[in-house]
Amino acid sequence: MPVHTQANTMKLKPIYILSFFFFLAVHASAFILNGKVVDTSTKEPLPGATVAFPDLKTSVSTNANGEFILKNIPPKGTYLVEIRYLGYKTFTQIVNLATASEIVFELEPSAIETKEVVVTGVAVSGSSRRNSTTSTTVNRAQLLNPSANLVDALAKVPGVSQISTGLAVSKPVIRGLGYNRVVTLDDGVKQQGQQWGDEHGIEIDQFKADHVEILRGAASLMYGSDALGGVINLLEPLSPPEGHVKGELVSNYSTNNGLTANSAMLTGNTDGFVWRGRASYKNAYSYQTPIGYFPNSGYNETDLSGMVGLSKKWGYSHLNVSSFRNNIGFYEPSFDASGNFVDENGNGFTQEQLQDRAVALPKQDIRHYKIALNNNIIIGSGSLKADFGFQQNERQELDGPSPSLFFDLKTYNTDLKYYPHTSNGLQPVFGFSADIANSKNKGIEFLVPDYNTYGIGAFAYLKKTWENSTLNGGLRYDYRSNTGKELFENGLQRFAPFTNSFSNISTALGYTHQFNEEWNFKSNAGTAFRAPNPAELASNGIHEGSFRYEKGNPNLSPERSYQIDASIEFEGKTVSANASIYNNYIHNYIYASNLNNEQILEDGNNYPVYRYGQVDANLYGAEASLTFHPVPFIHFENTFGYTHAQNTSLNKPLPFIPAGSMRNELRFEPKIKKVNDAFLSVGVANFFRQERVDPEFEILSAGYTLLNAGVGATFNFGKQPVKLAVTGTNLLDKKYYDALSRLKPGRLDQTDPTIGVYNPGRNITFGLFVPISFGKPF
């Protein structure tokens, strides 16, 4: 991690001073919450149930009698409690700590994995049924399923896709929108790491999060600019009960590219002093398509993260730090007369080169450092959530000993939310956010200028809850300013100086209604915006990973989104289902296009010139899921997603939109003596033909079907459980091009649309998961 200068230290001091002030200013008497978790019908205790208070970042497990004790929590205030127990519906309830010193929670048995979960990435944490935002939670078990990276693990959710460059780089797409139109939150801070780049992935350890919330739809009310498509919110593990140390060991090996992925974590709680540490490492050589290896597509990744903090009766304060480093190989496809890949000298690649774990040139060297201070301070009967963050993103593109492109981006974030006392079902929230960023070029080539940017925003939100309904709404104001710096290269002006500013008012209105225990309805309407980023405003150079020359437009206007969506949900004893529809109209949609086959000669090569402009766009679509659980050991899940995107200004499709998809999985979960969580699964992933393409960017993509399967179980070695699993993807070694693959035909070589690189072929992954726990229940 880079050494902090004295100036950086001075900038971080207010964080600690502010936290110390709250620690001294707030005083509350000690409080202990006693409770019990039982079966709603038999009243039998449920031992090992997890009782969690997400907004207090604390949890506890019930003992053999179904009892629990929570210490060091606020003596008053209204908080949401979430209780989970295998084979039962997840239970959520609002608890007033001022009137509850002992409480009994009754859980209802269920054969279906409940969709009733807590959503925290919205203005007011609440159960998914009471939250109007269309959301999906990806749990820890799903995140541990074999995947190349974090986004790959999330792309199975309806409405979520990925723009991929091989197995090393994936960018999230929600309802057809990606890049700077999707916000990623980690440690409560918006991730900032060159999201505008085609070949730039998310710089986050895929093993780090306990679970991930995916909010689909415009979310500018909470997050300001950029949240047109949705939000990916990574949630850290809750602190274990007092006196406990927990942890895990994860190890995977994949046959396709030799990927070894290992991660170890420990976390503990001693009288409210909480801590956590994690180390992860991944390494892979070139991946295989059904017709052979794709050269220099290997990568290696090293991640370190840690947290120390206090969870006391006045709230909590947690300091998170992380270091991410990734080396990714790149290769511009070149073929001999027989269609085999060759290097720049026309020589074929040896098997040793293709399976070399050392990444060769050209490559990316990506480093991301983050410090985040997360606080929730109890003030009287209300609370103040205060998140502060510092990030440094260093991205180098190398084709020799010195980086050609080298972006160094530093970002400072502040996010404050005040929650007054809740009364008569009314929950108001007032928020303020600010960010400052500075980017410098340290390479010998240039694509975007050095720039400074800053923004501020403030919002007010109100949620009203009745017995079966909720109504929520809010208003937000944002201001953003960008300043680009002048640069002369060889006596010629590469970048002209510019300064511009944008402001916007965002609105949101949502409604939910629970007809009964089975049926639930949600609807939303709102506006959102996205300010142009510096790459769109001022690019002037070769974008190596995209193989094109990009020119920005300093006169761009902000994108403005007008969105509505609605969903209906059903959860019965053996069947659960939901369906959503949405429409998102975007005024001044920004994208780069190549007009009249314009080209430029640079470094002895001709590059197509892509200029940023604006059109109006309309995106609409649907998502659905249907799950059958006819008997306890059979689980049949089906999901569907489709997005239709139109450039309404030019009356043609928008480019690079995901194809419609349908996933079907049949899962057997037999009960076997001395074995837990046994499963055998078979699934197919169907992707439809994508004919709605903009020919300036891409050719159509054929439909395809992939066969996947898995088997696994948890075995006990003494008292130590060990989970083993073997999973296979694309078992039939299908040759296909994903609609959002940047390596498909027509992307790398605009003059010859027959050249392309197939997506990965057959892959078998062997997985090991070992949970670690020390200490007794409370």
Side-chain angles (χ1 to χ4, degrees):
M1 184 173 290
V3 177
H4 291 295
T5 64
Q6 183 177 2
N8 283 341
T9 302
M10 293 299 293
K11 290 178 180 178
L12 290 174
K13 276 185 178 180
I15 295 176
Y16 304 105
I17 295 172
L18 181 61
S19 297
F20 182 69
F21 171 79
F22 282 125
F23 296 166
L24 295 179
V26 180
H27 175 76
S29 58
F31 181 77
I32 296 176
L33 178 65
N34 296 276
K36 190 173 184 178
V37 180
V38 301
D39 182 290
T40 188
S41 300
T42 67
K43 310 305 178 185
E44 290 292 321
L46 299 179
T50 300
V51 181
F53 284 80
D55 286 327
L56 297 175
K57 291 189 182 293
T58 189
S59 65
V60 69
S61 297
T62 57
N63 65 9
N65 299 317
E67 301 166 338
F68 68 88
I69 296 176
L70 269 171
K71 303 177 182 179
N72 278 324
I73 61 175
K76 55 184 176 180
T78 302
Y79 297 96
L80 189 71
V81 63
E82 179 183 42
I83 304 175
R84 291 181 173 273
Y85 192 72
L86 186 64
Y88 286 75
K89 287 185 177 181
T90 298
F91 179 88
T92 61
Q93 180 176 310
I94 300 292
V95 175
N96 187 342
L97 297 182
T99 59
S101 58
E102 293 189 14
I103 190 167
V104 176
F105 298 108
E106 297 185 357
L107 271 59
E108 181 181 347
S110 175
I112 290 182
E113 289 76 4
T114 179
K115 303 298 188 295
E116 179 76 359
V117 295
V118 169
V119 181
T120 62
V122 291
V124 177
S125 298
S127 70
S128 58
R129 288 193 170 195
R130 291 288 190 174
N131 192 294
S132 63
T133 304
T134 304
S135 62
T136 299
T137 297
V138 180
N139 61 36
R140 184 65 178 161
Q142 293 168 309
L143 290 174
L144 290 175
N145 286 337
S147 54
N149 50 61
L150 174 65
V151 176
D152 186 43
L154 304 178
K156 300 174 181 63
V157 173
V160 181
S161 311
Q162 59 177 319
I163 296 173
S164 64
T165 307
L167 289 174
V169 177
S170 296
K171 299 178 69 68
V173 175
I174 300 178
R175 291 180 171 177
L177 298 175
Y179 299 86
N180 286 81
R181 300 180 181 98
V182 171
V183 166
T184 300
L185 291 177
D186 180 38
D187 295 330
V189 174
K190 290 171 69 172
Q191 185 82 0
Q192 298 291 352
Q194 322 292 348
Q195 298 96 312
W196 49 268
D198 283 314
E199 75 287 11
H200 302 168
I202 293 180
E203 307 87 353
I204 298 175
D205 179 2
Q206 78 173 90
F207 299 114
K208 182 182 179 183
D210 176 74
H211 61 284
V212 178
E213 296 173 354
I214 301 175
L215 311 181
R216 302 192 294 277
S220 280
L221 179 70
M222 277 284 291
Y223 302 108
S225 177
D226 296 1
L228 266 69
V231 176
I232 296 175
N233 185 22
L234 283 76
L235 283 305
E236 64 181 354
L238 297 181
S239 300
E242 288 192 23
H244 273 60
V245 174
K246 292 188 175 182
E248 64 182 29
L249 297 174
V250 181
S251 184
N252 293 329
Y253 175 78
S254 299
T255 59
N256 182 279
N257 60 345
L259 172 65
T260 58
N262 301 283
S263 184
M265 183 272 286
L266 280 177
T267 180
N269 183 344
T270 304
D271 193 27
F273 173 74
V274 295
W275 56 272
R276 182 176 63 252
R278 179 181 290 278
S280 302
Y281 180 72
K282 297 162 65 175
N283 183 272
Y285 49 74
S286 298
Y287 74 85
Q288 299 177 68
T289 75
I291 62 172
Y293 287 92
F294 180 50
N296 200 34
S297 57
Y299 62 98
N300 59 72
E301 181 183 313
T302 304
D303 306 313
L304 300 172
S305 61
M307 180 274 290
V308 292
L310 294 174
S311 294
K312 294 288 188 177
K313 52 187 177 261
W314 42 258
Y316 67 78
S317 181
H318 295 174
L319 179 67
N320 287 273
V321 296
S322 63
S323 170
F324 174 100
R325 182 174 183 182
N326 199 359
N327 288 288
I328 303 173
F330 278 100
Y331 169 71
E332 182 174 356
S334 182
F335 302 86
D336 62 15
S338 301
N340 300 312
F341 292 118
V342 294
D343 62 20
E344 58 185 9
N345 298 316
N347 301 317
F349 292 89
T350 66
Q351 190 72 12
E352 183 180 2
Q353 287 176 306
L354 294 171
Q355 292 187 326
D356 190 349
R357 292 182 179 273
V359 178
L361 297 172
K363 68 176 183 178
Q364 284 196 72
D365 184 345
I366 305 152
R367 308 181 190 198
H368 194 93
Y369 310 102
K370 180 185 292 183
I371 301 174
L373 182 64
N374 309 119
N375 308 276
N376 188 0
I377 310 300
I378 309 305
I379 302 177
S381 56
S383 64
L384 175 67
K385 286 187 178 180
D387 296 316
F388 307 93
F390 166 75
Q391 302 171 73
Q392 181 172 7
N393 183 274
E394 298 177 340
R395 183 176 297 275
Q396 303 179 52
E397 297 185 7
L398 302 102
D399 50 18
S402 300
S404 51
L405 288 174
F406 187 167
F407 304 115
D408 186 358
L409 173 66
K410 296 182 178 68
T411 308
Y412 301 84
N413 301 83
T414 298
D415 188 74
L416 306 174
K417 299 183 189 70
Y418 176 65
Y419 296 80
H421 174 64
T422 300
S423 99
N424 297 322
L426 282 171
Q427 175 64 75
V429 184
F430 303 96
F432 171 83
S433 61
D435 65 87
I436 301 174
N438 169 262
S439 180
K440 291 184 178 180
N441 287 297
K442 295 184 176 180
I444 58 176
E445 297 179 4
F446 305 97
L447 174 59
V448 297
D450 293 352
Y451 65 85
N452 296 318
T453 180
Y454 73 89
I456 58 173
F459 74 88
Y461 172 92
L462 182 65
K463 181 177 182 179
K464 169 64 177 176
T465 301
W466 293 274
E467 183 177 354
N468 296 317
S469 301
T470 64
L471 180 66
N472 63 80
L475 190 69
R476 180 185 178 102
Y477 172 79
D478 281 282
Y479 174 85
R480 176 156 296 280
S481 175
N482 297 306
T483 300
K485 299 183 180 180
E486 186 177 41
L487 174 69
F488 283 87
E489 186 181 19
N490 300 323
L492 299 176
Q493 187 183 59
R494 165 73 72 170
F495 301 114
F498 73 89
T499 298
N500 51 33
S501 59
F502 312 98
S503 60
N504 184 75
I505 293 178
S506 302
T507 60
L509 182 65
Y511 175 73
T512 71
H513 181 73
Q514 188 172 343
F515 297 99
N516 49 45
E517 287 297 317
E518 295 180 332
W519 289 95
N520 194 63
F521 172 77
K522 301 180 180 184
S523 62
N524 291 279
T527 63
F529 94 111
R530 182 179 77 87
N533 63 55
E536 296 163 335
L537 293 166
S539 291
N540 187 20
I542 301 171
H543 196 165
E544 297 285 358
S546 300
F547 310 102
R548 65 193 192 191
Y549 194 101
E550 296 184 359
K551 283 185 173 288
N553 181 353
N555 299 314
L556 294 175
S557 299
E559 296 179 339
R560 298 185 185 274
S561 166
Y562 306 87
Q563 178 172 287
I564 57 173
D565 63 53
S567 64
I568 188 76
E569 301 170 343
F570 173 81
E571 187 169 341
K573 294 186 180 299
T574 59
V575 177
S576 68
N578 68 72
S580 304
I581 57 173
Y582 62 89
N583 189 86
N584 192 358
Y585 174 79
I586 303 177
H587 181 54
N588 288 328
Y589 181 90
I590 301 170
Y591 77 112
S593 60
N594 176 244
L595 302 176
N596 303 317
N597 198 29
E598 181 184 4
Q599 296 189 349
I600 189 170
L601 181 64
E602 188 86 1
D603 297 334
N605 296 309
N606 280 319
Y607 289 88
V609 177
Y610 279 72
R611 297 179 179 272
Y612 283 97
Q614 296 188 278
V615 296
D616 291 339
N618 192 55
L619 298 93
Y620 63 84
E623 297 138 8
S625 70
L626 178 63
T627 302
F628 297 99
H629 225 314
V631 291
F633 57 88
I634 294 180
H635 175 95
F636 185 38
E637 183 171 358
N638 309 271
T639 63
F640 169 80
Y642 173 75
T643 297
H644 182 285
Q646 182 77 359
N647 179 337
T648 58
S649 296
L650 302 179
N651 194 29
K652 63 178 182 179
L654 285 179
F656 233 40
I657 298 299
S661 65
M662 179 180 292
R663 297 177 184 269
N664 314 96
E665 182 184 62
L666 181 62
R667 186 180 178 98
F668 298 89
E669 299 172 341
K671 300 296 182 182
I672 303 175
K673 288 184 177 181
K674 298 183 180 181
V675 176
N676 297 319
D677 306 326
F679 75 92
L680 172 65
S681 66
V682 178
V684 291
N686 305 282
F687 292 84
F688 306 144
R689 182 181 177 90
Q690 179 56 289
E691 296 181 335
R692 293 186 47 77
V693 298
D694 185 337
E696 285 187 22
F697 293 84
E698 54 185 331
I699 64 174
L700 62 84
S701 300
Y704 58 92
T705 298
L706 305 180
L707 175 65
N708 309 310
V711 60
T714 299
F715 303 89
N716 291 315
F717 296 88
K719 294 184 178 181
Q720 177 60 57
V722 176
K723 181 177 181 179
L724 300 173
V726 180
T727 58
T729 56
N730 192 9
L731 289 173
L732 301 181
D733 212 24
K734 176 78 173 180
K735 292 191 293 186
Y736 71 98
Y737 299 110
D738 186 86
L740 295 188
S741 170
R742 296 186 54 254
L743 302 177
K744 72 177 185 178
R747 294 298 302 169
L748 295 180
D749 189 340
Q750 299 292 331
T751 63
D752 187 353
T754 63
I755 294 177
V757 178
Y758 286 113
N759 280 75
R762 182 185 298 113
N763 184 38
I764 308 296
T765 299
F766 302 88
L768 168 72
F769 176 73
V770 181
I772 301 170
S773 181
F774 305 99
K776 298 179 180 179
F778 57 81

